[in-house]
């Protein structure tokens, strides 16, 4: 069984400030980990993913995330927020070689203040 | 088109009616997934197809929900005797194989009055 917890349903940052969105997971097998972004009235878009190898993963739009097995975390960061980053962000986990169905967290709405 | 498409984009129905939601995956993608996203929540897995067969339907909430993919491409999610609690956005995703990135469609917003 797998689960994902995203701490903070809403996060507000100023433009240019650091973005930190938290994600903790539980999984009975070594997981694949994902961050998706959802803009209003649009489909989910993959930001980045961790499967194996390097634990620091870089994605699109300047985002990155680090897989920390000891902390069962996969927090998403971006050094400097842009207004265009305002969206809903979802962390997800899947079990490879078992269909790869995604288990999502509840989402974090990121608001960027000018 | 190049992406996953879903029709209709919006569906309003009355309690007790039957609805069908369609998903056209990216051409050549063998794996297809249905998820349901209720307001203010993350998507929840419903069913996964590998080719024509449902490889895992453990997320279907009850026997009013059924999905098919008869030719291994287009899939239809069918909901019988709809209830107000079925109101949600139904998302479809496809991937080349089950261990590759899933590409999501824009979803069908179902409203049951």
């Amino acid at each position: 069984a797998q689960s994902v917890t995203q701490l903070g349903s809403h996060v507000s940052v100023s433009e240019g400030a650091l973005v930190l969105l938290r994600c903790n997971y539980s999984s009975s097998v070594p997981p694949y980990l994902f961050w998706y972004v959802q803009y209003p009235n649009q489909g989910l878009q993959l930001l980045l993913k961790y499967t194996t190898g390097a634990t620091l993963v870089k994605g699109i739009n300047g985002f990155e995330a680090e897989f920390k097995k000891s902390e069962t975390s996969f927090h998403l960061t971006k050094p400097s927020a842009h207004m265009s980053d305002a969206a809903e962000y979802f962390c997800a986990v899947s079990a490879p070689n078992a269909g790869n169905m995604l288990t999502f967290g509840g989402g974090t709405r990121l608001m960027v203040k000018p | 088109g190049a992406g996953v498409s879903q029709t209709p984009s919006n569906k309003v129905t009355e309690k007790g009616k039957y609805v069908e939601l369609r998903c056209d995956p990216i051409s050549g993608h063998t794996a297809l997934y249905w998820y349901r996203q209720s307001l203010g929540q993350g998507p929840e897995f419903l069913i996964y197809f590998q080719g024509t067969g449902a490889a895992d339907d453990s997320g279907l909430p009850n026997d009013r929900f059924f999905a098919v993919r008869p030719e291994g491409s287009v899939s239809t999610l069918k909901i019988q005797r709809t209830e107000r609690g079925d109101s949600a956005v139904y998302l479809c995703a496809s991937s080349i194989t089950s261990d590759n990135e899933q590409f999501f469609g824009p979803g069908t917003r179902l409203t049951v009055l």
Side-chain angles (χ1 to χ4, degrees):
Chain A
Q2 300 178 307
S3 67
V4 176
T5 301
Q6 292 183 240
L7 206 59
S9 59
H10 292 79
V11 170
S12 181
V13 301
S14 297
E15 193 173 19
L18 171 72
V19 176
L20 171 61
L21 304 183
R22 299 180 186 274
C23 173
N24 288 87
Y25 70 90
S26 68
S27 178
S28 55
V29 299
Y32 287 176
L33 295 159
F34 307 81
W35 275 98
Y36 284 85
V37 62
Q38 188 174 41
Y39 297 101
N41 300 316
Q42 293 188 28
L44 288 162
Q45 180 182 6
L46 182 66
L47 273 178
L48 49 79
K49 64 180 179 182
Y50 169 80
T51 54
T52 58
T55 56
L56 181 62
V57 180
K58 294 186 185 299
I60 62 172
N61 301 339
F63 285 93
E64 62 182 39
E66 186 171 11
F67 169 55
K68 292 187 176 181
K69 184 178 178 181
S70 61
E71 298 177 8
T72 60
S73 69
F74 192 56
H75 301 330
L76 182 71
T77 60
K78 181 173 180 178
S80 176
H82 290 208
M83 296 297 292
S84 60
D85 294 328
E88 187 94 20
Y89 292 80
F90 293 96
C91 182
V93 62
S94 73
N97 303 314
N100 214 23
M101 293 81 75
L102 294 166
T103 299
F104 287 88
T108 297
R109 181 165 298 279
L110 176 66
M111 294 166 284
V112 183
K113 299 175 293 187
Chain B
V4 177
S5 62
Q6 293 186 245
T7 54
S9 55
N10 281 282
K11 176 71 176 177
V12 180
T13 190
E14 293 179 341
K15 180 175 179 295
K17 299 289 189 183
Y18 168 82
V19 297
E20 290 189 351
L21 312 178
R22 176 187 169 108
C23 172
D24 279 88
I26 294 172
S27 178
H29 281 196
T30 64
L32 185 146
Y33 305 80
W34 284 98
Y35 297 85
R36 177 168 72 172
Q37 186 174 17
S38 299
L39 192 63
Q41 299 181 23
E44 294 177 302
F45 166 74
L46 295 176
I47 185 170
Y48 150 58
F49 288 89
Q50 181 58 51
T52 60
D56 189 325
D57 64 358
S58 61
L60 295 177
N62 52 59
D63 61 5
R64 295 187 298 105
F65 289 74
F66 189 70
V68 296
R69 195 185 184 199
E71 298 178 358
S73 178
V74 170
S75 176
T76 304
L77 178 66
K78 308 180 180 197
I79 310 174
Q80 298 177 320
R81 304 183 305 280
T82 52
E83 300 177 356
R84 293 193 179 89
D86 298 335
S87 296
V89 177
Y90 289 81
L91 299 170
C92 176
S94 70
S95 61
I96 295 175
T97 65
S98 62
D99 271 352
N100 290 95
E101 176 185 347
Q102 294 180 32
F103 292 86
F104 282 81
T108 293
R109 182 176 297 278
L110 175 66
T111 302
V112 181
L113 301 177

